[in-house]
Amino acid sequence: KSDQTDPKTDQGKPPAAASHQQESVTPGPAATTGYVWPVEGEVDRDFSLEVFAYDDTMGDWRTHGGIDIAADLGTQVKAAAEGVVSAVYEDDLMGTTVVVEHSGGLFTVYSNLEATPTVAVGDSVTTGSVLGRVGNTAPAESGLESHLHFAMYQDEQPVNPEDYLSQ
């Protein structure tokens, strides 16, 4: 059980970053177009830290510190870039989650995975390595269509993944 997430502001935030304020960071020199989409699909819910949106599943107004990418259950979820798996855990709100650390203080977070990811803490991954599969483990987003919740952090501050992903 993770006591480090607040349902209204910290959903899906990995434990290492949970105590920091949520401020959007504009991509700096570390931002490249070298990051690839972890699944193919349309963005169903956008990244938003400034504007609250009503959440039908939770029945309240909240920010969304990542993007939800539509994908069928069981779709392979791939690493957006090379890095090292720094965490694998079950988040109370966002379900099965894998965190990959990349160079330059950036890390990616993959949530709502099937219960058993294909990687473990300490594993090195390359761009496109399979981390797991899209599941339905996120109680906070269970009212939505099947999807991957994907978030990115630069120096432990949330950033819009679409600013980093190849178009």
Side-chain angles (χ1 to χ4, degrees), residues 3-167:
D3 293 326
Q4 298 181 11
T5 55
D6 175 85
K8 292 186 173 74
T9 59
D10 289 337
Q11 69 174 357
K13 187 179 280 189
S19 64
H20 296 276
Q21 290 181 322
Q22 279 197 355
E23 294 178 15
S24 182
V25 175
T26 303
T32 68
T33 57
Y35 292 86
V36 299
W37 289 79
V39 293
E40 290 183 27
E42 297 294 318
V43 174
D44 283 343
R45 278 179 74 194
D46 292 318
F47 174 87
S48 175
L49 294 181
E50 290 79 31
V51 178
F52 285 93
Y54 187 74
D55 185 298
D56 289 325
T57 304
M58 301 302 284
D60 62 8
W61 293 84
R62 61 182 55 227
T63 60
H64 194 242
I67 58 175
D68 291 342
I69 307 168
D72 292 333
L73 287 175
T75 299
Q76 289 185 337
V77 175
K78 299 176 181 178
E82 68 178 35
V84 176
V85 176
S86 61
V88 175
Y89 60 96
E90 186 67 25
D91 185 271
D92 290 344
L93 295 176
M94 299 310 295
T96 304
T97 298
V98 170
V99 179
V100 177
E101 287 189 27
H102 308 284
S103 62
L106 190 120
F107 59 96
T108 50
V109 182
Y110 310 78
S111 298
N112 197 32
L113 301 174
E114 286 182 346
T116 307
T118 58
V119 294
V121 172
D123 287 354
S124 291
V125 297
T126 59
T127 303
S129 292
V130 176
L131 304 175
R133 295 180 180 277
V134 173
N136 59 356
T137 59
E141 296 190 345
S142 62
L144 303 174
E145 295 296 321
S146 177
H147 69 281
L148 171 71
H149 178 85
F150 180 65
M152 294 180 79
Y153 295 81
Q154 176 67 54
D155 300 322
E156 298 196 25
Q157 297 297 318
V159 294
N160 186 345
E162 291 187 90
D163 291 342
Y164 290 76
L165 296 169
S166 299
Q167 298 302 317

